[in-house]
Amino acid sequence: MKPQPYKFCFGPWNISEGQDPYGPPVRPPQSFEWKLEALKKIGFDAMMFHDDDAVPDIDQKTDAQVRQEARALRRKLSDAGIAAEMVAPRLWFDPRTIDGAYTSNDPKCRAYAIQRSLRCIDVARELGTDLIVLWLAREGTYVRESKNARRCVDYLVEAINRMLAYDRKIRIAIEPKPNEPMDQAYIPTIGHALALAQLTDDPDRVGCLIETAHAILAGLDPADEIDFACAFGKLWSIHLNDQNGLKFDQDKPFGSANLRVAFNQVRALERNGYGRKGEYVCFDVHPFRTTKVEHWLAHLENSRRTFLRLVEKARTFDEKQARALIRDRNYAALDQMVLEHLMGR
Ligand code: GLO
Ligand code: MG
């Protein structure tokens, strides 16, 4: 089979201004048009969106306004030759999501989260994508006794069922993360996401999105998460980046912390034919806080460059030699062979 040419994507939040919990922005905010132009200039194919990236102040607008603004955005995107990859409801900013969105203890807040998610589907429909991403940012606790985790599973299923029923065409990709902002999240891994899918009314339309950093924060190998999701035919999007151990979510450029772990993710994507059904390679990466304005897109270009170099490395890996070493159970030599290959020999 002919090797897949990959298509690339990032979100407007990936051109970030450098604020962290200890300091303010260090780069001036840019308009959406500037970011779209930047995406086009560096030759990416698609943009991913939060519902309020697409329609700012979405909660203040009527349904008709939301649809109209999303339609205007679609025209802007198609004029630029850029696709909308997915839309994700931002369920972690509003005061009604302080105690979680779908799993809040307050029924009024849970109702808000569901309504907001249905609006997100309206936006996706207008933007011409059937993919809704759920990063379940605040579905978890700081204080374990504050919520009934058993009931929270039902709340999550109920919210997803409402979305599935609202639009029979959409697919939902759950993006698990084990912590941050929460101490402990309810859906920390791909196994949890896919198990949750089985409890919904239409498991075939509930899949997942793997983010490298999130898998590492869960103590897992992102390549294994890729293979696991692909065994179910449910890897519908991916956020490649990197993470140096168990710290705050770093969203480093792809391959920046561990080239070998990155290589294995690329190998896993290649052996599963990722991209053949139109899936995009998305980089959920951020510039370092030290980045100057004139270098603002480097983390995105570098991530793609590293990805493509690793595709080459995956395709030129001596599989025959590797198989011989595996037959001989000579894993020491296999280990070194991988290192030599990555070092260029
Ligand atoms: C944060 C997540 C976040 C999501 C985005 C889309 O840790 O990775 O960037 O990917 O909000 O849902
Ligand atoms: Mg992400």
Side-chain angles (χ1 to χ4, degrees), residues 13 50 86 88 92 133 135 175 177 211 214 239 249 284:
W13 66 91
H50 296 112
M86 62 82 161
W92 54 92
V133 168
W135 172 42
E175 177 182 352
K177 183 177 181 182
E211 175 162 323
H214 299 178
H239 285 179
D249 186 6
D284 198 354

Side-chain angles (χ1 to χ4, degrees), residues 141-157:
T141 56
Y142 307 108
V143 177
R144 237 12 182 188
E145 297 78 7
S146 66
K147 285 186 186 178
N148 179 332
R150 170 65 187 82
R151 203 179 300 142
C152 287
V153 176
D154 294 339
Y155 290 152
L156 289 169
V157 171

